[in-house]
Amino acid sequence: MLASDFAKVGEEVRAVDSAGADWIHLDVMDGHFVPNISFGPAVIQAMRPHSKKVFDTHLMIAPCDPYLEAFAKAGSDIITVHVESGPHLHRSLQAIRALGKKAGVTLNPATPIETIENVIDLVDLILIMSVNPGFGGQAFIPGAIEKIARARALAAARPIDIEVDGGVTPDNAASVARAGANVLVAGSAVFKGGGRAYRSNIAAIRNAAALARGEAA
């Protein structure tokens, strides 16, 4: 939703929902952990009545722990925190699960996969950042492909979603899917062209990923 028109955010949520989005991805930025400010729990709570889809809340804030309950109460279904967003990642993931939500962990481009090995059994989702967090519209970092594959290998047989966020387009969706990602976040690539283009934009990304996995004709 970071690339949506904030002046009509409820309408935009309904539009991407009806255009075929599986989840609504919510980028929360604090101007401290990342160099931008977006929105907080009150805005997510205002969005919540406009869609029954999964609210996938990506917290780019530090410290994160004092705000987990607020985002849970606002209607988040998944709450994802960065490895570096607090001193005790294990505790943060436990807290998210104790709130009845799915727990995700985010790896920045410079964050090694090894940092999450000891918390893997508390993780429902691994988010691989394919840009540096903080701004929409950045170009995909090619090195993310190998990291996605390593995250998929670390997850092994566990029911963990592998998500990729940053610069995802129909041109790289196939590579991302082949590497092992099953959740593709797209902002600029979805919202470009206005409301009439949302359905075709989403379909182009989904079809490219599905073809790579051998799931589409």
Side-chain angles (χ1 to χ4, degrees), residues 55-101:
F55 268 26
D56 175 31
T57 300
H58 173 201
L59 299 184
M60 289 170 268
I61 66 175
C64 62
D65 288 2
Y67 304 98
L68 297 176
E69 185 175 3
F71 284 103
K73 288 182 175 178
S76 303
D77 298 296
I78 305 168
I79 299 176
T80 303
V81 298
H82 282 250
V83 169
E84 302 89 354
S85 63
H88 306 293
L89 177 60
H90 188 280
R91 181 180 295 162
S92 300
L93 297 171
Q94 281 185 318
I96 293 167
R97 288 187 153 207
L99 290 164
K101 305 301 180 179

Side-chain angles (χ1 to χ4, degrees), residues 3 169-171 187-201 204-205:
T169 69
D171 294 331
S188 302
V190 167
F191 286 100
K192 68 178 183 180
R196 293 183 180 180
Y198 294 172
R199 181 173 296 277
S200 60
N201 291 342
I205 295 168

Side-chain angles (χ1 to χ4, degrees), residues 101-125:
K101 305 301 180 179
K102 288 189 174 182
V105 62
T106 307
L107 300 174
N108 282 330
T111 307
I113 286 285
E114 289 77 11
T115 56
I116 62 171
E117 287 180 348
N118 293 324
V119 296
I120 193 65
D121 289 322
L122 287 173
V123 171
D124 298 294
L125 177 146

